[in-house]
Amino acid sequence: WAARASSEGLALLKPRRGEVARAASHCAAWRLCTTDHLLVLEDGVEAPPDLADAVAILLSEVPEDYDLLYLCVPERYRVDEKGEGRVARASVPALSAYVVSKTACGKLLELCRGGLDRPLGEAVAAAGLVTYAARAPPVVSSGLASAVAGTPEFCPLAVEE
């Protein structure tokens, strides 16, 4: 994508091989999506035993026409954890752990086919997709911090009154 961006006069940092490989692996996952939702976890993200439950709870709060739900959110991009609900509209340049809709997989493949002028996470965040982030992310990348969160603390269940 660097060659294409350069030929079109776009300013960009020269991508490292790892960035190109990362984009290619995400594209491969999106291409293979055959279900309504695709869970993507990069290397360095460990899934807590209750991740499936946490994801189900979070997905219950996003609208049907969502594109992407970020499950791993770096501290500087966190949305107010005390706000209403478990998810909030947000765009985050972090693709360590996320759920993407089948429809969005096609949109993201088109984005990549059109050429990338920045790292994949930044391109996705700027693509105008309907994106949400967990207010209290259920997983943390080892690249961001060496910790994995469990559902009770990071994605609390509703308390019955």
Side-chain angles (χ1 to χ4, degrees), residues 4 7 28-29 35 42 48 65 69 78-80 91 94 106 116 123 129 138 158:
R4 179 178 180 157
S7 70
T35 59
E42 286 188 344
D65 65 344
L69 169 63
R78 294 264 170 97
V79 291
D80 175 20
S91 192
L116 297 172
L129 301 173

Side-chain angles (χ1 to χ4, degrees), residues 13 22 77 91-95 117-127:
L13 297 172
R22 180 177 188 227
Y77 296 105
S91 192
V92 180
L95 292 177
D117 62 348
R118 62 191 93 183
L120 182 63
E122 291 177 21
V124 170

Side-chain angles (χ1 to χ4, degrees), residues 32-120:
L32 296 173
C33 181
T34 58
T35 59
D36 292 339
H37 313 282
L38 174 69
L39 172 64
V40 178
L41 301 173
E42 286 188 344
D43 292 346
V45 172
E46 295 179 33
D50 55 357
L51 182 62
D53 294 334
V55 169
I57 291 166
L58 293 168
L59 283 175
S60 73
E61 293 193 14
V62 298
E64 287 185 25
D65 65 344
Y66 89 102
D67 289 314
L68 194 139
L69 169 63
Y70 295 98
L71 301 175
C72 182
V73 182
E75 196 69 40
R76 68 181 176 269
Y77 296 105
R78 294 264 170 97
V79 291
D80 175 20
E81 293 183 19
K82 296 177 180 122
E84 299 271 330
R86 294 179 189 90
V87 299
R89 277 298 304 265
S91 192
V92 180
L95 292 177
S96 298
Y98 61 94
V99 179
V100 62
S101 70
K102 184 175 184 176
T103 302
C105 285
K107 294 176 186 178
L108 291 167
L109 285 169
E110 287 304 312
L111 171 72
C112 291
R113 284 186 190 113
L116 297 172
D117 62 348
R118 62 191 93 183
L120 182 63

